[in-house]
Amino acid sequence: MVELSLLPFGQVDTSVLDRRWPELLEAAGWRPGEGGLRRKDGRPLRLPLRYAAGEPLTDRAAQMTKEDWRRIGVEVNLMPQDEKAFSDSSAIGPS
C-alpha cells in the first residue's frame, strides 16, 4: 500500500505531477476511467494522506495536495490526525 505524508514545511513541485506522473501511471496499468479516476483491474486508484490537523496552513496544503492529485486521476483520502497520532504514525525506525 502506498501512503502519502504531508510533512511540516515540505513543498512539492506539483508541475511534475502534470508532466511525468500520468505517463508513469499509464505504464503501470492505471488507465483513466469514469469521472477521470484512474483504474487498474477494476479498482480505483485511491491513496490515504495522513497529516497533522488543526493548523490552517497544513489543512489547506492537504486540500491542495488532494486537488493536485485529482487532476491526474488519483483520489486522495484526507486523514487528519492530532499531532501525537501523526508523530507516532510518521516515526521512522524499529518499533
Side-chain angles (χ1 to χ4, degrees):
M1 175 196 221
V2 174
E3 245 183 57
L4 304 174
S5 287
L6 186 62
L7 301 175
F9 311 110
Q11 293 184 343
V12 176
D13 177 7
T14 58
S15 65
V16 74
L17 287 173
D18 295 326
R19 289 191 317 266
R20 186 78 171 123
W21 278 99
E23 177 184 319
L24 294 172
L25 290 170
E26 288 278 336
W30 292 99
R31 308 273 186 253
E34 186 176 318
L37 187 60
R38 291 182 179 273
R39 295 184 158 292
K40 181 177 181 179
D41 301 326
R43 296 174 308 150
L45 180 51
R46 293 186 175 118
L47 302 174
L49 173 60
R50 298 178 197 284
Y51 65 98
E55 290 292 326
L57 185 58
T58 304
D59 292 338
R60 180 64 187 131
Q63 186 62 43
M64 291 171 64
T65 299
K66 178 179 180 166
E67 293 166 9
D68 287 339
W69 281 87
R70 184 65 180 103
R71 278 197 333 261
I72 62 165
V74 179
E75 182 180 325
V76 172
N77 297 319
L78 299 181
M79 301 177 75
Q81 299 180 322
D82 66 50
E83 187 70 35
K84 176 152 179 30
F86 178 71
S87 294
D88 291 347
S89 70
S90 299
I92 298 175
S95 48

